[in-house]
Amino acid sequence: MRTELTDLTVAEIRDGFRAGDFSAREVAEAFNANVAAAKALNAFIVETPEHALAAADQADKDKAAGTLKPLSGVPIGMKDLFCTNGVQTTAASHMLEGFKPTYESTVSQKLWDAGAGMLGKLNLDQFAMGSSNETSYFGNVISPWRSKNGGNAPLAPGGSSGGSSAAIAARLCPAATGTDTGGSIRQPAAFTGISGIKPTYGRCSRWGIIAFASSLDQAGPMARTVQDCAIMLENMAGFDARDSTSLDLAVPQWEAGLSADLKGKKVGIPREYRVDGLDADVARVWDDGIAWLKDAGAEIVEVSLPHSKYALPAYYIIAPAEASSNLARYDGVRYGLRDLPDGANLQDMYAATRAAGFGPEVKRRIIIGTYVLSAGFYDAYYTQAQKVRTLIARDFATAFESCDVILAPTAPSAAFALGDKTADPLAMYLNDVFAVPASLAGLPAMSVPGGLSKDGLPLGLQIIGPAFDEQSVLNAGLAIEQRAGFTARAEKWW
Amino acid sequence: MTESTYRIAGATGDWEVVIGLEVHAQVTSQAKLFSGAATAFGAEPNTQVSLVDAAMPGMLPVPNRECIRQAVRTGMAINARINKWSRFDRKNYFYADLPQGYQISQLYHPLVGEGSLAIEADEKAGIAEEKVIGIERIHVEQDAGKLMHDQHPTRSYVDLNRSGVALMEIVSRPDMRSPAEAGAYLRKLRAILRYVGSCDGNMEEGSMRADVNVSVRKPGDEFGTRTETKNVNSVRFVMQAIEYEAQRQVDVLEGGGRIVQETRLFNPDTGTTRSMRSKEDAHDYRYFPDPDLLPLELDDTFLDACRASLPELPDAKRARYEGLGITEYNAAVLTAEVETARWFDALLEAGAKPQQASNWVSSELFGALNRLGKSIEDSPVAPAQAAELLALVADGTISGTISKQVFEIMLETGDAPGKIVEEKGLKQTSDTGTIEAVIAKVLADNGDKVEQYKGGKEALFGFFVGQTMKAMQGKANPQIVNELLKKALG
């Protein structure tokens, strides 16, 4: 019996297509059909089956002509934070509803140049602000997963890349782009039983990605396997002169460099992450991860990241501060929403437009960011937070003197029900507690599935590496993937 | 250093005025500070706007190296410390001419630190001797766009052509004490910018404008509260604004009032200033480091190249001219504008003798250009031709008088002076036989005057010279004429 095409990984699609097992068009049609049939998940804001088919037809032609590209035949999902030429790009905000850029983000362009096709623009938290995909103007994304215990409450797919995680877990696409500012790739990957990597800050160009917090935003891939993440990342990363913070480094051949043999490697376990009241399932999977990496040949060492507890508060000062400034451009003057009440002056137009265009969470962060940058508060908040950021980066640098990678949980719990935390922003922010330190330090970090909670929901393991060493992160991820034997998948209900 | 004696006489005694200037100078560059869009003046609205300048979603700034280079060279020209590590900050505020909602500027770590420039003594303007004005810093920043209120009865339009254009903000110390000193500072700064080539200094087109900080105090007292008059766009207006503002402050203080720290606007039609906003309404700009940009780090190679590219600056050039025997006055005139200096240097290069050349340029050439309404760059006579003309005078081929005639023909025809002299037969004669014959005739024709001369009316000597020269159509060597006349008149 032939496997469903939509169950294949990126590598399997690429290789099967090359081997002539199926055409690119067959693959695109299969995924287009899954996307069309999964409206209940609300993973896509815009579906672009025609784009996927056009790329597939081109791939079929290229195959005949012998001019195949690295991702020929592979359709993917594009987080709707990446500007796509001629295709509505909204950041899941009413503010940008109907906005069609005249330009293509560097990362998406690289993927199209590599032969990939676009299945659609994936839903997300508004302006990437959120951990549950409940802040989108276009509605919540529903996780394909259901708890084995206690009803059928719709679950959060994580955020902000919740459309990406849900779509991959539900086999609507084999891989997707994500962006990670404080865990937005890793946490949704963990919630939905898939993998995702945030590379070193600067690996992927930010040009054409709608900014949330510039010093933290970083694009990365999400997929079902570590190998797929490596393939995708190779085709997303690279120096871009249009982004001043872009790393001027060659892109390593991460896929070819994959090795699950960790002999001679040291894995650091951060003492401070073992917090009181750590969820028992999370602690158990973390211990499993430790055992698997030991089994792969690694030596386990304890490391200390003493300033970890200040990471979350520092993050929730720096990220909103940058966001408050980055989002000032949405003023109703040049594009997007304009709300011009009768007799309104310029200030009135700003106020009306921004009141109508931004959702509550975006407004909350703009207000926090404006406050922490205000005269008289700047030193107490922003300057202090920057100092914390420096200390956290130093913590990691010190830790990496005695280990090659760090293993930690991705999130403090499995997916929660939609609505569970919306009334309490702080509880929501706590979801990022393990993810944020690597973001502040700009380090590569990935989440791979580690097992299931007692309720049958996925839990992720996070691997953090030194700057520029995505390879070690991917390799440790691969070692876990091979041993975790994570085959669970959401049963189709949609 | 003698302090300025400029005072405002008040009912309670004399007041001293304290002035600091923040000059915004547009950097001469093909492209904007953080985008590749063009910067030409006078283009159709919104034709020089990139995606970055319009602040489209996801767009990022990339520093234009040329703008940084020009600011560094400017800093070097005012002997300032160049900061090898500087950083861009965002100044946040909402306005329709500011697409990003923030201006990228440098608050905390400017590119250029402490420097200075010297203004020359100017007795007439009450500047007794050369005075050094401190410059606190130069930072680079983006300009904003422009609102147009005259396009529609009820709506305003926005032109983003200027949005993102690179500006240098040159901040002086409060070292000036009179409108004349402020004027001299501005003129000197403008000259330096134009020598360096980092700003065209065109105040009418807005390439250079000043925010004027003014306070008054009784001589010897602490600084008073200052006001800042924004965007004044000519030297004359800056001086007017200071005069008006200082007098206003004195009137307020003597009337028992208090000066409020505020931003004011200058009205060029009335020469007055009016309040725009007070400190209480001041924006909270929420400055913070721009996270889209890495700190600007400059290495020695770059700085050395900047330094090596600097031209000879006004002060050095002036000293050099004076060393060549050129008068102080002429040296000042010839170095005030970079184009003049460039023209004069070319003239020297072509072999002209400095003193003779400087006198000729400041009288003959300037006079002719004035008459023709032309600037020196458009002079119909090139430095090489002028050098040839001066050489003809210096070697006695033509007289000074004839040279004026030749110069006029040069201005009209563009012909070379040698050719003109040749064709028109204007060569000076030193042939004593010919001259003696003419003298003999002049004396014979004016017997009565000869008698008077011999009777003691020596002033008539000039008359005989004139008559002789006239008879020889100006072509006689005046020195020989003098000698021979003396001899003939015994």
Side-chain angles (χ1 to χ4, degrees):
Chain A
M1 188 191 101
R2 181 160 144 180
T3 325
E4 291 274 350
L5 287 174
T6 50
D7 282 344
L8 300 179
T9 65
V10 169
E12 286 164 349
I13 293 170
R14 177 191 64 186
D15 298 343
F17 164 60
R18 282 171 190 241
D21 298 346
F22 41 79
S23 70
R25 189 166 182 97
E26 288 176 86
V27 175
E29 282 172 345
F31 280 108
N32 278 343
N34 275 13
V35 169
K39 306 272 192 228
L41 300 181
N42 199 29
F44 286 86
I45 294 174
V46 171
E47 295 169 14
T48 56
E50 69 295 339
H51 189 293
L53 289 177
D57 291 345
Q58 185 62 45
D60 287 328
K61 268 188 227 149
D62 287 346
K63 180 163 184 284
T67 54
L68 284 172
K69 300 175 190 129
L71 290 175
S72 286
V74 181
I76 61 165
M78 185 60 58
K79 186 176 182 177
D80 199 25
L81 202 61
F82 293 79
C83 288
T84 43
N85 196 348
V87 178
Q88 178 184 255
T89 301
T90 66
S93 179
H94 182 39
M95 187 62 92
L96 284 173
E97 192 172 8
F99 172 64
K100 287 186 181 172
T102 56
Y103 47 94
E104 187 77 33
S105 84
T106 300
V107 165
S108 54
Q109 187 63 53
K110 275 175 173 288
L111 288 164
W112 312 148
D113 289 347
M118 178 165 69
L119 292 159
K121 301 295 294 285
L122 291 158
N123 205 343
L124 66 150
D125 277 303
Q126 193 166 153
F127 283 101
M129 298 174 186
S131 306
S132 61
N133 218 121
E134 290 170 285
T135 69
S136 168
Y137 175 74
F138 302 96
N140 300 340
V141 176
I142 319 292
S143 172
W145 290 84
R146 287 279 153 103
S147 171
K148 295 249 183 308
N149 180 25
N152 269 335
L155 298 178
S160 65
S161 310
S164 305
S165 67
I168 294 165
R171 293 351 186 224
L172 312 187
C173 52
T177 56
T179 62
D180 191 315
T181 304
S184 280
I185 286 174
R186 292 161 285 160
Q187 184 255 20
F191 274 22
T192 55
I194 65 165
S195 295
I197 181 167
K198 175 195 94 70
T200 309
Y201 180 80
R203 271 288 187 205
C204 292
S205 169
R206 292 184 295 113
W207 195 89
I209 300 175
I210 294 176
F212 162 16
S214 311
S215 75
L216 296 154
D217 293 346
Q218 185 54 208
M222 299 167 77
R224 293 208 315 280
T225 70
V226 172
Q227 183 188 8
D228 285 1
C229 287
I231 295 169
M232 283 286 287
L233 187 57
E234 270 182 46
N235 290 293
M236 294 168 70
F239 174 67
D240 182 3
R242 294 180 298 180
D243 174 1
S244 304
T245 61
S246 174
L247 284 171
D248 193 359
L249 293 175
V251 178
Q253 296 189 314
W254 287 302
E255 185 191 12
L258 283 175
S259 162
D261 180 0
L262 302 187
K263 270 198 270 312
K265 300 283 184 190
K266 287 182 182 165
V267 175
I269 308 299
R271 187 186 308 150
E272 292 79 6
Y273 283 40
R274 227 173 251 286
V275 289
D276 286 342
L278 182 64
D279 181 276
D281 286 334
V282 170
R284 169 176 52 79
V285 169
W286 193 5
D287 287 338
D288 288 345
I290 292 169
W292 293 327
L293 291 178
K294 214 184 275 180
D295 181 60
E299 182 190 338
I300 306 298
V301 296
E302 192 183 66
V303 294
S304 176
L305 299 170
H307 297 92
S308 296
K309 66 175 172 218
Y310 303 114
L312 200 65
Y315 173 85
Y316 275 99
I317 289 167
I318 292 167
E322 294 183 13
S324 71
S325 177
N326 281 337
L327 271 59
R329 66 186 55 199
Y330 306 107
D331 57 9
V333 174
R334 298 167 311 285
Y335 49 79
L337 185 71
R338 171 184 289 184
D339 195 335
L340 186 64
D342 277 347
N345 64 21
L346 183 65
Q347 294 298 327
D348 300 333
M349 182 179 88
Y350 286 154
T353 300
R354 291 167 68 82
F358 292 137
E361 183 60 28
V362 175
K363 286 177 190 161
R364 178 170 12 252
R365 297 201 197 190
I366 289 175
I367 290 166
I368 292 171
T370 303
Y371 177 79
V372 299
L373 289 177
S374 298
F377 299 103
Y378 180 82
D379 284 336
Y381 291 103
Y382 188 80
T383 307
Q384 281 300 104
Q386 288 293 8
K387 285 182 191 163
V388 168
R389 188 171 186 176
T390 305
L391 291 172
I392 283 167
R394 198 176 299 162
D395 281 357
F396 277 109
T398 307
F400 286 125
E401 285 170 14
S402 55
C403 67
D404 298 290
V405 292
I406 287 168
L407 180 71
T410 305
S413 72
F416 45 85
L418 290 172
D420 255 14
K421 296 181 196 284
T422 41
D424 183 355
L426 284 184
M428 188 71 90
Y429 295 171
L430 276 171
N431 250 284
D432 301 323
V433 68
F434 296 130
V436 153
S439 295
L440 288 172
L443 301 176
M446 94 177 290
S447 180
V448 293
L452 295 175
S453 72
K454 61 181 184 308
D455 295 334
L457 294 177
L459 292 166
L461 281 168
Q462 180 181 209
I463 303 124
I464 304 168
F468 321 125
D469 194 4
E470 287 81 3
Q471 192 71 63
S472 289
V473 172
L474 290 162
N475 287 354
L478 185 66
I480 291 172
E481 182 180 84
Q482 288 178 354
R483 287 163 182 82
F486 188 88
T487 53
R489 60 185 283 182
E491 272 175 49
K492 189 166 185 306
W493 54 263
W494 55 91
Chain B
M1 196 185 295
T2 47
E3 270 302 337
S4 167
T5 54
Y6 180 86
R7 295 289 181 271
I8 293 165
T12 61
D14 280 353
W15 294 82
E16 183 182 45
V17 55
V18 176
I19 305 150
L21 295 176
E22 293 169 24
V23 173
H24 297 261
Q26 180 180 335
V27 177
T28 303
S29 159
Q30 297 297 311
K32 295 183 179 180
L33 181 53
F34 296 109
S35 86
T39 57
F41 176 78
E44 283 293 299
N46 294 313
T47 54
Q48 302 187 145
V49 186
S50 76
L51 294 169
V52 176
D53 308 323
M56 299 303 286
M59 292 300 97
L60 298 171
V62 175
N64 175 350
R65 206 71 182 164
E66 175 59 15
C67 296
I68 305 302
R69 195 181 78 90
Q70 291 290 28
V72 167
R73 293 173 74 245
T74 305
M76 288 171 167
I78 55 153
N79 298 308
R81 191 184 70 243
I82 307 300
N83 294 322
K84 291 168 88 171
W85 192 96
S86 68
R87 207 177 58 187
F88 290 104
D89 302 303
R90 290 186 185 176
K91 177 181 183 178
N92 295 283
Y93 64 96
F94 283 97
Y95 202 55
D97 65 3
L98 190 74
Q100 295 164 124
Y102 54 84
Q103 176 196 32
I104 306 180
S105 182
Q106 296 188 301
L107 176 69
Y108 297 107
H109 298 277
L111 181 59
V112 178
E114 193 80 34
S116 66
L117 63 73
I119 55 173
E120 277 85 45
D122 184 346
E123 300 271 355
K124 263 192 290 179
I127 306 172
E129 57 185 58
E130 184 183 270
K131 180 174 179 180
V132 175
I133 308 295
I135 293 176
E136 186 189 316
R137 59 190 278 163
I138 301 178
H139 64 256
V140 289
E141 63 185 24
Q142 297 176 301
D143 204 351
K146 199 176 80 180
L147 290 190
M148 300 185 289
H149 302 294
D150 54 0
Q151 311 283 310
H152 189 277
T154 59
R155 294 183 175 206
S156 293
Y157 284 66
V158 191
D159 175 11
L160 295 180
N161 281 354
R162 288 191 71 87
S163 166
V165 163
L167 301 178
M168 293 179 278
E169 181 166 330
I170 305 162
V171 183
S172 86
R173 294 276 175 201
D175 286 350
M176 288 156 275
R177 295 290 179 272
S178 69
E181 288 186 4
Y185 169 83
L186 267 181
R187 281 191 298 268
K188 185 61 173 286
L189 180 60
R190 182 172 174 275
I192 292 173
L193 294 172
R194 286 163 52 77
Y195 266 69
V196 169
S198 58
C199 170
D200 66 20
N202 194 329
M203 296 188 88
E204 295 74 46
E205 291 179 3
S207 303
M208 205 176 144
R209 48 193 199 260
D211 296 344
V212 186
N213 288 291
V214 175
S215 64
V216 296
R217 63 175 175 183
K218 288 287 174 66
D221 280 4
E222 297 288 300
F223 285 148
T225 302
R226 68 186 163 84
T227 62
E228 180 181 20
T229 304
K230 285 276 189 195
N231 274 331
V232 187
N233 69 350
S234 85
V235 174
R236 191 163 60 88
F237 292 158
V238 166
M239 293 169 67
Q240 276 182 7
I242 294 167
E243 266 177 60
Y244 175 83
E245 185 55 19
Q247 184 64 55
R248 186 191 69 84
Q249 291 186 13
V250 167
D251 292 346
V252 168
L253 290 169
E254 294 201 327
R258 210 168 51 81
I259 301 302
V260 192
Q261 189 176 335
E262 62 182 354
T263 304
R264 298 181 69 85
L265 276 182
F266 178 71
N267 181 341
D269 298 330
T270 58
T272 60
T273 67
R274 67 175 168 82
S275 180
M276 191 165 111
R277 59 172 185 261
S278 72
K279 196 186 173 193
E280 284 71 35
D281 320 317
H283 295 295
D284 180 350
Y285 290 119
R286 291 171 285 122
Y287 277 100
F288 78 110
D290 192 321
D292 281 332
L293 295 162
L294 298 174
L296 202 53
E297 292 181 71
L298 307 177
D299 58 26
D300 289 328
T301 318
F302 179 77
L303 294 181
D304 291 346
C306 287
R307 198 166 283 115
S309 75
L310 283 182
E312 184 181 36
L313 294 165
D315 288 351
K317 200 178 279 286
R318 199 171 146 168
R320 179 165 64 84
Y321 286 178
E322 287 178 20
L324 293 172
I326 294 172
T327 63
E328 237 178 81
Y329 175 80
N330 275 348
V333 168
L334 293 171
T335 54
E337 289 289 341
V338 66
E339 288 81 7
T340 310
R342 241 178 244 147
W343 204 96
F344 186 67
D345 276 340
L347 183 60
L348 295 183
E349 193 97 333
K353 297 202 165 52
Q355 281 169 279
Q356 181 203 11
S358 68
N359 289 328
W360 181 82
V361 168
S362 53
S363 55
E364 302 304 320
L365 180 65
F366 282 178
L369 292 174
N370 245 339
R371 204 155 21 87
L372 299 171
K374 287 191 187 248
S375 65
I376 199 158
E377 304 107 286
D378 305 322
S379 164
V381 171
Q385 292 175 311
E388 192 187 336
L389 176 67
L390 292 173
L392 290 173
V393 178
D395 69 8
T397 306
I398 54 172
S399 67
T401 319
I402 290 293
S403 80
K404 293 181 192 195
Q405 208 180 315
V406 175
F407 182 49
E408 284 306 319
I409 300 169
M410 289 167 74
L411 287 169
E412 271 170 39
T413 63
D415 282 348
K419 186 177 163 229
I420 296 168
V421 168
E422 200 61 50
E423 282 177 6
K424 309 249 171 198
L426 296 172
K427 250 190 203 159
Q428 172 170 275
T429 176
S430 303
D431 174 9
T432 50
T434 314
I435 297 173
E436 271 169 348
V438 173
I439 286 175
K441 188 168 184 299
V442 167
L443 296 186
D445 290 352
N446 297 282
D448 52 336
K449 295 224 166 53
V450 173
E451 285 309 309
Q452 290 173 16
Y453 177 83
K454 289 190 170 160
K457 204 167 176 193
E458 288 186 9
L460 281 168
F461 189 75
F463 167 79
F464 298 123
V465 173
Q467 288 300 306
T468 309
M469 293 301 280
K470 194 177 164 194
M472 295 194 71
Q473 291 149 323
K475 287 181 284 182
N477 182 324
Q479 229 170 320
I480 295 172
V481 169
N482 274 353
E483 279 167 27
L484 295 178
L485 255 175
K486 269 187 189 145
K487 210 160 64 177
L489 286 165

